[in-house]
Amino acid sequence: MGLGQSTESENQASSPEELSYMLAERFATKCFSPLELTHLKDNFFTRAIDQGGWKYWNEKILSDFLGIPDSSDSRCPLDAGPVIFRMVSYLGAFPFQNTLAPSVLTFDAMVKVIVLLTERYGKVLRRARRDRIRLLFGSLADVGRKDVDRQSNDDEVEAEADASASSSHAPGFAVDEPLNDDYEDEEDDDLALAALESLDAIEVFKHDSRMDRAVYEARISADTLRRLLMLLIVISPLKFLEPVRIYTSDLNGKRMEAIRAEADSIMAAFRQEPSGGISYKEFSRTVTSSFPYLFDPLTPLFEHLLFSRNLNLSQKRDRADSAASEPVEEAPGDLPSPPAITLPGSFESVILDPSIISHLSFFLPSSSESLNFLRGNARLHPVFSTVAHGSSLTSFSHHVLTWSSGTLLVLEGSTETGDMVTLGAYLPQPWKSSTSTQTTSKFSDSVLPCLFQLSPKHLLLQGNNSPSVQQPSTPVAYFSTNSGISIGCQIPPSSRSNKKPPTPLGAGSLTIDASLETAEFHVSPIGRNGVFLPPPPGSTPEITTKTLIEIYNLEVWGLVPDPTATSAEGEKSAVELQQAKWDFEAREAERRRNLNLKAGPGGSDVDSARWLLETAGLIGDGSGTGRAGGSV
């Protein structure tokens, strides 16, 4: 069965099966271009199993095509194939998961899967919120029998059993039984309601959604979510048409250890029920607040289905040749190397690895908040490292203040209890000296900063865009040679006699001493008067915590939106312009060292020279090396 066959008119359609088919047909014609649909048909039908005229895909075909490892693949110990197959079997039944799931992966079902996972449904379901969280939860969840009040009499129980036995459709996932969780019913079915409204079939949907209410309780098991997370960590840099095996073909023991560590840190952010598993409410809260881009890698993964390597559009082939063509598989030796996310520069990172970068991509935006920084083609340029440049704020100011766009600060160290911790700050605006008027950035002003902890437990503190906190005394980030680096703190008034250090303000702050040796990470469950907002309830302790950290490594990376893009200034790339600026700063520093500051009679030469340098902003408070320092 496939699209293109004749069906009853929409007015005559009344069964879930008929309406499901009609929706798939509408998705195919409205959400795919004719060329994409041609490629999808070739991919599907050249691989499909034909059983009595019924063509479908099984788990092995799906995993092999997408390059998803399963338990039979000895080269890659991820075993994510069964999880992905379970997800698509659930999504293929949309919008009747209660009655039709698990769905056989026919062509019609695969059309709906691709549209839902790539979020193309907005072209048809214009009234629907673009929110897949409820749908994704259902596709991942397992269930356990819930203790309920036995208020039903024997006749009602028997009637339900008879109705279940007489059903002609395949049994649905038990997760689809309506729950007793404390969220609104209409939240469950936002996309489904929009789909059925588009088909004028609300009454059919209502009948489907009333079945077997309040009997089961849905939970995502920790094992299921961990296996999916490990896959998402591996393929997060995936681009459209890139072979998945680029990222799965070389998962050695060390790489797998790093992947598991990041998955465990992310898992720690999801609060599990005492009975085991993750509820919908917890899943929705954590994904929305802490991992807005967690499922982004699924989009390029399933877009692979819209391009067939069998179709050579530069040559004409007759239908017989096309039907007999075999799927084209890439040999392991033909795979290119994964593209580098970090650009070459003065140092290589001792903190960032592919797994940590993937973790960052689950919550860091690009210049557009609709894309994460990997999908937005951003790159990281080395700016400052304590390993390469030493633990000096003078060196920090020279490298960081001259970087002309946003930065990513990351550090790793150990706590007083000996636990390793990795945390940092995303600062989309450039650092500047206290006397500078430069406020522009290559990244959008609408992108907010954030303070985060990556391990041992993921924690994200989003920036506060309230005008009341955007004051000179509360910069996002600030440093001086006296107090060190302060992020999310309140800066006391300047005074010659009273040099108070910056103080933590609001829900979160990070302070680093002037020697770059120790840091303090403050987190509070309350406080909306600071740069960063409190995390969602339940994600942090109910009291303010202060973590003292001995710093092992600290790095600052420059955010390069597109390293190959040219600018109006001589058609140079952003990296070339930055390097030219650094070269100029180096020449100016050399020139300042060669100035004759030897004291003459009365010290007039010293005073005159110093006055000239301070006026030019090359030394003193305005230079970033004096008392006032810089901020962002």
Side-chain angles (χ1 to χ4, degrees):
M1 179 178 176
L3 295 176
Q5 300 176 3
S6 61
T7 62
E8 299 180 39
S9 67
E10 293 187 9
N11 292 333
Q12 295 173 321
S14 59
S15 71
E17 290 84 357
E18 291 170 330
L19 290 167
S20 181
Y21 173 81
M22 288 165 49
L23 182 63
E25 187 173 37
R26 183 168 297 184
F27 275 167
T29 56
K30 298 290 186 180
C31 302
F32 301 138
S33 69
L35 183 59
E36 288 175 330
L37 197 55
T38 299
H39 279 257
L40 174 57
K41 288 180 177 179
D42 183 78
N43 278 327
F44 182 85
F45 289 109
T46 56
R47 294 167 172 82
I49 297 171
D50 190 338
Q51 187 172 359
W54 187 265
K55 294 188 177 182
Y56 65 93
W57 278 20
N58 59 17
E59 180 182 329
K60 179 171 176 34
I61 296 174
L62 179 71
S63 296
D64 288 348
F65 178 83
L66 295 177
I68 301 298
D70 56 26
S71 57
S72 64
D73 190 346
S74 59
R75 298 170 300 176
C76 182
L78 284 179
D79 194 22
V83 176
I84 295 296
F85 184 73
R86 174 188 171 85
M87 291 178 67
V88 300
S89 298
Y90 178 94
L91 298 175
F94 178 81
F96 295 105
Q97 295 94 322
N98 284 347
T99 55
L100 300 182
S103 170
V104 177
L105 294 188
T106 62
F107 182 76
D108 308 329
M110 289 299 294
V111 164
K112 290 188 288 182
V113 167
I114 299 168
V115 169
L116 292 171
L117 289 180
T118 61
E119 295 189 281
R120 296 185 177 212
Y121 49 78
K123 298 179 180 179
V124 174
L125 313 180
R126 298 186 185 279
R127 293 183 59 189
R129 290 183 312 178
R130 299 198 173 193
D131 183 1
R132 301 174 297 172
I133 292 180
R134 170 63 187 173
L135 209 56
L136 290 169
F137 175 83
S139 69
L140 291 168
D142 300 315
V143 298
R145 186 71 182 182
K146 184 178 181 181
D147 294 331
V148 296
D149 295 334
R150 298 181 178 275
Q151 299 177 350
S152 301
N153 58 38
D154 293 340
D155 291 338
E156 290 175 330
V157 174
E158 184 177 352
E160 289 182 4
D162 291 341
S164 177
S166 62
S167 176
S168 60
H169 56 73
F173 286 115
V175 64
D176 300 304
E177 310 294 350
L179 317 179
N180 273 341
D181 284 331
D182 51 350
Y183 54 84
E184 298 294 333
D185 287 343
E186 53 265 26
E187 184 181 0
D188 303 0
D189 309 303
D190 186 72
L191 286 176
L193 277 169
L196 272 297
E197 280 181 357
S198 73
L199 298 174
D200 194 23
I202 291 296
E203 289 305 316
V204 178
F205 173 77
K206 287 181 178 178
H207 172 72
D208 175 77
S209 65
R210 285 198 302 265
M211 297 178 60
D212 304 325
R213 282 194 174 277
V215 176
Y216 286 94
E217 184 176 76
R219 297 290 182 265
I220 297 178
S221 73
D223 177 68
T224 297
L225 184 56
R226 182 178 286 104
R227 284 196 286 170
L228 179 62
L229 287 175
M230 291 174 67
L231 174 66
L232 296 176
I233 289 169
V234 170
I235 68 171
S236 66
L238 183 68
K239 298 294 190 297
F240 180 55
L241 296 185
E242 271 190 326
V244 177
R245 288 188 175 87
I246 288 179
Y247 302 98
T248 62
S249 60
D250 187 26
L251 298 181
N252 53 39
K254 183 178 180 180
R255 176 84 166 99
M256 286 301 301
E257 183 179 349
I259 292 169
R260 292 189 186 97
E262 293 309 309
D264 288 343
S265 295
I266 295 172
M267 284 290 299
F270 290 88
R271 184 176 52 187
Q272 297 189 39
E273 297 293 313
S275 58
I278 300 162
S279 68
Y280 167 70
K281 184 178 180 181
E282 174 65 16
F283 180 80
S284 177
R285 177 191 67 79
T286 305
V287 172
T288 302
S289 62
S290 298
F291 304 104
Y293 309 112
L294 180 62
F295 297 104
D296 279 13
L298 296 177
T299 295
L301 177 65
F302 279 86
E303 283 180 340
H304 280 70
L305 286 153
L306 303 179
F307 176 79
S308 172
R309 297 184 183 276
N310 300 331
L311 298 182
N312 186 347
L313 300 181
S314 64
Q315 299 178 1
K316 293 183 178 180
R317 301 187 303 174
D318 58 39
R319 292 185 179 180
D321 290 339
S322 178
S325 63
E326 292 294 329
V328 178
E329 303 291 343
E330 291 193 359
D334 298 334
L335 295 174
S337 300
I341 307 302
T342 56
L343 299 173
S346 59
F347 64 90
E348 293 185 359
S349 180
V350 296
I351 301 177
L352 302 181
D353 61 25
S355 299
I356 291 180
I357 291 174
S358 294
H359 188 164
L360 291 170
S361 75
F362 296 153
F363 63 92
L364 291 186
S366 65
S367 56
S368 168
E369 288 190 325
S370 61
L371 297 175
N372 70 53
F373 84 102
L374 288 184
R375 289 188 67 190
N377 199 35
R379 292 294 184 266
L380 301 176
H381 192 283
V383 173
F384 173 80
S385 165
T386 52
V387 173
H389 303 116
S391 299
S392 165
L393 276 182
T394 301
S395 179
F396 178 92
S397 66
H398 167 68
H399 290 87
V400 177
L401 259 68
T402 54
W403 179 258
S404 57
S405 74
T407 53
L408 175 69
L409 182 148
V410 289
L411 67 84
E412 65 176 5
S414 65
T415 66
E416 293 176 293
T417 59
D419 298 325
M420 289 295 296
V421 62
T422 304
L423 49 83
Y426 172 78
L427 308 170
Q429 298 298 316
W431 293 71
K432 59 184 182 292
S433 66
S434 58
T435 59
S436 172
T437 58
Q438 179 184 1
T439 58
T440 59
S441 171
K442 292 183 174 64
F443 273 67
S444 170
D445 290 344
S446 64
V447 178
L448 295 175
C450 66
L451 190 62
F452 57 84
Q453 177 179 288
L454 297 179
S455 66
K457 175 185 177 180
H458 174 93
L459 177 66
L460 178 63
L461 303 176
Q462 295 281 11
N464 190 351
N465 60 359
S466 172
S468 62
V469 302
Q470 298 175 8
Q471 303 295 331
S473 62
T474 57
V476 177
Y478 173 90
F479 81 94
S480 77
T481 53
N482 292 324
S483 60
I485 301 170
S486 305
I487 299 176
C489 293
Q490 187 171 37
I491 310 303
S494 177
S495 170
R496 292 183 177 272
S497 61
N498 188 8
K499 299 179 179 180
K500 294 182 179 179
T503 57
L505 179 68
S509 66
L510 174 66
T511 58
I512 302 172
D513 70 353
S515 63
L516 305 184
E517 293 179 350
T518 61
E520 284 189 2
F521 183 42
H522 295 253
V523 178
S524 173
I526 59 174
R528 294 183 173 271
N529 60 334
V531 174
F532 302 105
L533 294 171
S539 60
T540 58
E542 296 181 357
I543 60 174
T544 300
T545 61
K546 180 179 74 173
T547 305
L548 183 64
I549 302 166
E550 180 184 356
I551 299 175
Y552 293 164
N553 300 292
L554 186 149
E555 297 174 355
V556 177
W557 293 83
L559 303 170
V560 182
D562 188 345
T564 61
T566 57
S567 69
E569 299 183 40
E571 297 299 316
K572 293 182 179 180
S573 71
V575 174
E576 290 173 328
L577 288 173
Q578 183 62 54
Q579 189 60 54
K581 188 172 183 178
W582 274 336
D583 292 342
F584 172 78
E585 290 289 332
R587 291 194 299 270
E588 285 297 299
E590 182 66 23
R591 184 178 66 83
R592 291 196 298 270
R593 281 195 294 268
N594 292 332
L595 285 176
N596 182 12
L597 296 181
K598 294 182 178 179
S604 59
D605 290 345
V606 174
D607 295 338
S608 298
R610 182 168 295 280
W611 179 83
L612 287 172
L613 292 177
E614 288 180 345
T615 302
L618 298 178
I619 66 173
D621 292 352
S623 69
T625 60
R627 179 182 58 82
S631 63
V632 58

